[in-house]
Amino acid sequence: MISVKEAFSTILEHIEVLPAEKCALNMVVGRVLRHDILADRDLPPYDRVMMDGIAAKSEAFIKKGPLTLKIVGNQSAGAVAKKISEKDTCLEIATGAVLPDGADIIVPVEEITTDGKTATIDDGFEAIPRQYVHGKGTDCERGELLLKEGDILGAKEIAVAASCGAAEVLVSSRPRVAIISTGDELVDIDQIPQPHQIRRSNSHSLAAALEASGLGCSKLYHFPDELDAVREGLATILSSSEVLILSGGVSKGKKDYLPGALADLGVQKVFHWVAQRPGKPFWFGLGSSGQPVFALPGNPLSALTCFHRYVLPALRSMAAQVLVSPVELVLGGDYTFRPPLTCFLPVRLENKGGPSEVLPDPAGNSGDFAGILGTDGFVELSAEPTEFSRGEIVPFWPWL
């Protein structure tokens, strides 16, 4: 039985980066960028006016007292810059318009009275050159690195890419992920289970988490506890899938056929059993094509926890995403855990005006998936101590 640290590092050592593919920008939400994007011009690309009002020359404001300027035109957004030559003239101007040549003062519309031909500036207005001007190149200069390989493309990243003219971008391809449940006790979710049966939930939970991550395209399968059915089904799936995630059938029961069936099909076992709770029977291997195979325990909390702790980072690594360490938060209550295992403890986030704390909220057991409905994720408590005190700093893994 290996440690959590060893299991995690071993998985990452066996993960290969997926190829990149070119996609239209409107199709890449949540995808991982595979090339740098540089500013193709200064941003903003011109001196951009930030208020509706008038544009004028600062020389007009040298004298104190009321000031009336002649309106000689309109500078609208998207129009070529006009020019102000005389200090007693102005241009009406719109937010987003280019600053007219010769102008350096913007007077907001709230500070003026106009009859359509002239604009009278309120007495109390203080004329500060370029006060309401978003200067050319002040956000970034042409050639500056804006997005780097490995960034996740969300709304703000897509806005930046669009502003640089990136109609198409290279992103990591999404692997075909087979999510497989096993067990004679499991029935479809649209069936009425008998007293000795339960509805399948693991596969739907894992598929939902995968969908939320944006890191793969899932297809769901189910096998009964029959060796031939498991072996034949896996053979087909291994030929068509780039990642396999199984739940159930990996412990020491008489009908836990998965490890043997995988071995029969040439899947190389890398490790089996990890010193953790929940999820001790976790199994990891590689298919003949190098595809990762994650066999998770069948208990729902075990499966979901192992997915977040191991499978999700592995998928991120496959997508060339930069892995970051989990956020560390303050344990908000004492907790005792005596087995010499790493403990994945469900917690609730709480913020009372200071740093966020995580409050222990353990489930009844590893099958108690309803017991984690009020939790936000889990913390990882190391195997050495048995007593964990309030105020300790612990790594936090959020649920998707």
Side-chain angles (χ1 to χ4, degrees):
M1 189 159 56
I2 64 175
S3 69
V4 168
K5 181 179 180 180
E6 186 179 357
F8 184 61
S9 62
T10 299
I11 289 172
L12 295 185
E13 288 169 3
H14 288 83
I15 293 299
E16 296 183 359
V17 175
L18 293 163
E21 61 183 4
K22 184 178 287 188
C23 291
L25 189 63
N26 64 347
M27 300 295 291
V28 297
V29 178
R31 305 287 287 273
V32 179
L33 185 65
R34 292 293 290 272
H35 63 100
D36 295 340
I37 293 180
L38 309 180
D40 66 333
R41 57 180 183 160
D42 292 344
L43 292 178
Y46 56 86
D47 286 336
R48 188 179 70 88
V49 173
M50 300 167 63
M51 301 286 282
D52 291 332
I54 60 170
K57 300 173 76 70
S58 56
E59 297 96 296
F61 294 84
I62 294 175
K63 292 182 180 180
K64 301 294 183 182
L67 177 63
T68 299
L69 302 175
K70 181 182 178 181
I71 300 172
V72 295
N74 181 281
Q75 182 74 66
S76 59
V80 175
K82 296 182 178 180
K83 185 175 182 178
I84 298 178
S85 300
E86 305 296 330
K87 68 176 184 179
D88 60 348
T89 62
C90 68
L91 288 168
E92 291 181 313
I93 199 158
T95 300
V98 61
L99 182 69
D101 293 341
D104 59 352
I105 296 293
I106 301 298
V107 185
V109 68
E110 295 86 356
E111 303 284 351
I112 62 175
T113 303
T114 179
D115 61 7
K117 295 181 179 180
T118 62
T120 300
I121 293 92
D122 291 351
D123 232 359
F125 176 71
E126 183 180 4
I128 301 175
R130 300 179 66 85
Q131 180 178 11
Y132 299 111
V133 177
H134 188 184
K136 179 178 184 286
T138 54
D139 289 348
C140 66
E141 297 181 349
R142 184 177 184 273
E144 187 173 332
L145 176 65
L146 297 181
L147 298 173
K148 61 184 183 300
E149 182 175 1
D151 284 346
I152 302 173
L153 294 169
K156 59 185 186 296
E157 290 80 15
I158 287 174
V160 169
S163 73
C164 296
E168 293 183 322
V169 292
L170 284 175
V171 293
S172 293
S173 59
R174 281 178 166 163
R176 299 183 301 275
V177 180
I179 298 178
I180 306 159
S181 59
T182 64
D184 291 337
E185 76 278 19
L186 303 177
V187 298
D188 286 336
I189 59 175
D190 58 354
Q191 294 184 13
I192 303 299
Q194 298 297 314
H196 57 280
Q197 296 175 322
I198 56 176
R199 295 186 178 95
R200 293 200 284 271
S201 61
N202 279 357
S203 52
H204 297 283
S205 171
L206 297 173
L210 179 64
E211 176 69 20
S213 75
L215 292 169
C217 304
S218 64
K219 188 171 183 179
L220 275 57
Y221 303 86
H222 177 74
F223 300 145
D225 286 326
E226 298 173 8
L227 179 57
D228 289 343
V230 171
R231 192 160 41 208
E232 291 172 10
L234 283 176
T236 301
I237 293 170
L238 282 165
S239 67
S240 61
S241 302
E242 295 162 295
V243 179
L244 278 71
I245 305 174
L246 304 101
S247 65
V250 292
S251 192
K252 295 181 178 180
K254 289 184 177 180
K255 291 192 174 184
D256 287 335
Y257 295 127
L258 279 181
L262 289 167
D264 292 343
L265 295 169
V267 178
Q268 173 197 352
K269 182 184 78 171
V270 177
F271 65 75
H272 190 189
W273 301 94
V274 181
Q276 61 188 19
R277 182 181 292 177
K280 190 190 295 186
F282 177 40
W283 187 103
F284 172 70
L286 297 173
S288 58
S289 300
Q291 67 266 57
V293 179
F294 303 92
L296 317 179
N299 282 324
L301 183 54
S302 300
L304 194 60
T305 301
C306 287
F307 177 88
H308 285 80
R309 182 60 181 86
Y310 300 104
V311 181
L312 189 57
L315 292 172
R316 287 174 173 154
S317 183
M318 291 177 71
Q321 184 177 332
V322 178
L323 296 183
V324 296
S325 299
V327 62
E328 294 191 334
L329 298 177
V330 177
L331 189 63
D334 297 338
Y335 190 73
T336 299
F337 184 76
R338 300 200 180 281
L341 305 170
T342 295
C343 174
F344 298 131
L345 173 66
V347 293
R348 289 179 286 112
L349 281 173
E350 185 167 294
N351 189 324
K352 296 181 178 179
S356 293
E357 291 186 340
V358 286
L359 300 179
D361 194 359
N365 55 64
S366 58
D368 182 17
F369 53 91
I372 63 168
L373 284 176
T375 65
D376 299 291
F378 60 90
V379 295
E380 185 172 324
L381 305 179
S382 58
E384 290 77 18
T386 58
E387 303 291 335
F388 300 89
S389 302
R390 178 178 182 178
E392 290 189 36
I393 305 299
V394 290
F396 170 73
W397 303 80
W399 304 124
L400 289 179

